[in-house]
Amino acid sequence: MRHPVSRLRTRVLAVGLALAAAALVPAGSAGAADQYEWAALGDSYTAGGFVGDPQPALGDASRDGCDRTTGAYPSLVERELDEFPPGKYVHLTNVSCGNATIDNIATTKQTPISPVQPPAGGWTAVDPQIQRANLNDQTDIVTIGVGGNSLPFGGMLLKCLELGAKPGESCREYYTNPPEGEESIQDKLARVQDEYIAMLAKVHEAAPNAKVITVGYPAVLPQEASACNRLALTEVGSIKHADIDWLRDDVLKPLNSTIQRVSSFFGDRYVDVYSSSVGHDACQPAGTKWIEGICGDAEDYWPAKLPGTALNCGLIQKRVTLVHPNGAGHANTAAHVERAIRIALLER
């Protein structure tokens, strides 16, 4: 089997040639005279979901089902960069969307799945985020937090919950030696790498003068699986401890490594939020955790029941949070992303 780094190098060289050809076309300088342009792209770990107030507000005709919120890290960073440097503002265009995949960033429309006040006919499909953000030669900064839904990590987590309730079943075994029709974890990660390469190439093509910053995922699971109470839906529920260790070491960490590796080959800056979030995972007590569990604390507009399933977090006075960052988690990510943006702007 071909070494993954060699495979990555070959793919990046190929897209690099295409980008070099595109660069021969004259481009204008980035940014308007009085402001920097920043586009935030990504999935629910960027959009926020249940943290803060909805953006757009509930009842607003422009709501699109993407569940962006005022408590998510793009909004937090925007407020900190209100004026940088003195006299020049950073203008944020946030088109992140819950449940977005890598392909939804660059090439494929997405039909949002927000459970919050959906219209009678369901949400209308939205354009790829590159298009929605209107990336162009005036874009100064692009931040991207995506990848988990392309595995999909959420679907794997639910499968691990299901198998965790069955004696003798293991989701590690299920995804290492999968049944027919299911990708192995090795194949999933290889596919995600290829998709991430293609996506970054499209971003650079659309915004040739922008500094691109990719954002990894936090430590959603503990360093020691024994820290998790398998009876607690406020943690990760019925997932077996051996499978928690596997999800951490063979799924989440390699996903972050893939994002970092591809970003490095493109010369982009990678923001590591995993290291700083260790010890603040979903299995920690309230006040320490930066990741809510299967059920957790959320704003009142967020549902307690997961549509189409038997999951009802209302029975324990919680809401469906499905292992996503809370306000403290977004604040941590914001601190690291803000620093990366400041450095990138100083380099312009």
Side-chain angles (χ1 to χ4, degrees), residues 151-152 156 175 182-192:
L151 285 172
M156 294 176 70
Y175 286 110
E182 177 65 71
E183 288 179 303
S184 70
I185 184 57
Q186 295 86 353
D187 288 341
K188 287 177 182 292
L189 289 167
R191 174 176 51 75
V192 163

Side-chain angles (χ1 to χ4, degrees), residues 187-330:
D187 288 341
K188 287 177 182 292
L189 289 167
R191 174 176 51 75
V192 163
Q193 176 173 283
D194 287 348
E195 291 172 355
Y196 214 93
I197 291 169
M199 180 269 293
L200 279 184
K202 289 286 189 181
V203 168
H204 281 280
E205 182 180 19
N209 299 315
K211 297 284 188 178
V212 178
I213 299 168
T214 61
V215 184
Y217 289 89
V220 303
L221 300 168
Q223 291 292 88
E224 298 291 337
S226 58
C228 294
N229 176 359
R230 292 189 61 214
L231 298 178
L233 282 174
T234 52
E235 298 181 14
V236 291
S238 61
I239 301 178
K240 293 180 172 70
H241 286 165
D243 286 337
I244 291 173
D245 286 334
W246 175 77
L247 283 167
R248 181 191 63 242
D249 293 335
D250 288 28
V251 181
L252 182 58
K253 286 183 177 180
L255 173 61
N256 276 338
S257 294
T258 297
I259 295 170
Q260 182 175 19
R261 187 168 60 247
V262 175
S263 301
S264 176
F265 270 93
F266 275 88
D268 297 330
R269 189 181 304 277
Y270 170 76
V271 175
D272 169 25
V273 295
Y274 189 99
S275 300
S276 58
S277 58
V278 169
H280 298 279
D281 53 84
C283 292
Q284 302 305 315
T288 300
K289 65 169 63 183
W290 292 350
I291 305 290
E292 296 298 315
I294 303 298
C295 301
D297 294 327
E299 298 293 340
D300 290 344
Y301 60 81
W302 199 251
K305 295 181 181 180
L306 183 62
T309 75
L311 183 60
N312 184 358
C313 298
L315 297 175
I316 55 172
Q317 289 74 55
K318 298 292 182 181
R319 297 178 185 273
V320 177
T321 47
L322 294 179
V323 194
H324 278 74
N326 56 26
H330 277 280

Side-chain angles (χ1 to χ4, degrees), residues 44-58:
S44 55
Y45 272 61
T46 297
F50 54 81
V51 180
D53 297 325
Q55 286 184 324
L58 296 180

Side-chain angles (χ1 to χ4, degrees), residues 101-124:
T101 64
I102 295 169
D103 285 346
N104 294 144
I105 300 295
T107 59
T108 308
K109 284 192 173 187
Q110 176 187 357
T111 301
I113 60 170
S114 174
V116 180
Q117 298 182 2
W123 297 103
T124 300

